[in-house]
């Protein structure tokens, strides 16, 4: 009995597909947060508060990111988180 037909071998297609998926995953996780300085963070958080995405809780001295329910005591942490959260949601929408 002859071996498998080399024209029916799809293993290379699968490997190529895997590599493409890994590259897309890397792109989604490579959100640039290094440029979030205090001024940028304050501006972003202010915009998010105005858009009702973030709720300040003065008595607890935290900022609550409403869509995720996460609380932060630093506007820079919140800004970095929001950028990553937004990039993750965008990647999920593209995958659907």
């Amino acid at each position: 009995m002859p071996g498998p037909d080399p024209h029916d071998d799809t293993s290379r297609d699968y490997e190529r597909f895997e590599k493409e998926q890994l590259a897309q995953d890397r792109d989604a996780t490579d959100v640039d947060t290094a440029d979030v300085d205090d001024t940028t963070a304050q501006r972003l958080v202010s915009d998010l508060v105005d858009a009702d995405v973030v709720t300040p809780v003065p008595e607890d001295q935290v900022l609550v990111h409403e869509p995720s329910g996460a609380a932060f005591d630093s506007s820079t942490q919140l800004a970095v988180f929001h950028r990553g959260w937004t990039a993750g949601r965008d990647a999920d929408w593209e995958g659907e």
Side-chain angles (χ1 to χ4, degrees), residues 10 25 30 34 36 45 50 54-56 66 68 80 82:
T10 60
D25 290 348
D30 287 346
V36 179
V45 169
D50 291 344
V54 170
T55 303
E66 294 299 336
S68 67
V80 170
H82 182 73

Side-chain angles (χ1 to χ4, degrees), residues 17-91:
F17 175 75
E18 277 279 314
K19 287 179 184 176
E20 289 173 4
Q21 292 299 310
L22 289 171
Q24 288 176 8
D25 290 348
R26 261 193 314 273
D27 290 345
T29 59
D30 287 346
V31 177
D32 187 17
T33 57
D35 63 340
V36 179
D37 58 16
D38 289 337
T39 304
T40 303
Q42 290 292 336
R43 191 174 324 118
L44 177 61
V45 169
S46 178
D47 291 346
L48 293 173
V49 168
D50 291 344
D52 294 327
V53 175
V54 170
T55 303
V57 183
E59 57 272 4
D60 295 333
Q61 296 181 347
V62 295
L63 300 162
V64 178
H65 185 256
E66 294 299 336
S68 67
F72 299 89
D73 60 1
S74 162
S75 58
T76 303
Q77 289 174 344
L78 174 61
V80 170
F81 173 82
H82 182 73
R83 282 191 174 184
W85 181 83
T86 303
R89 285 187 43 98
D90 290 346

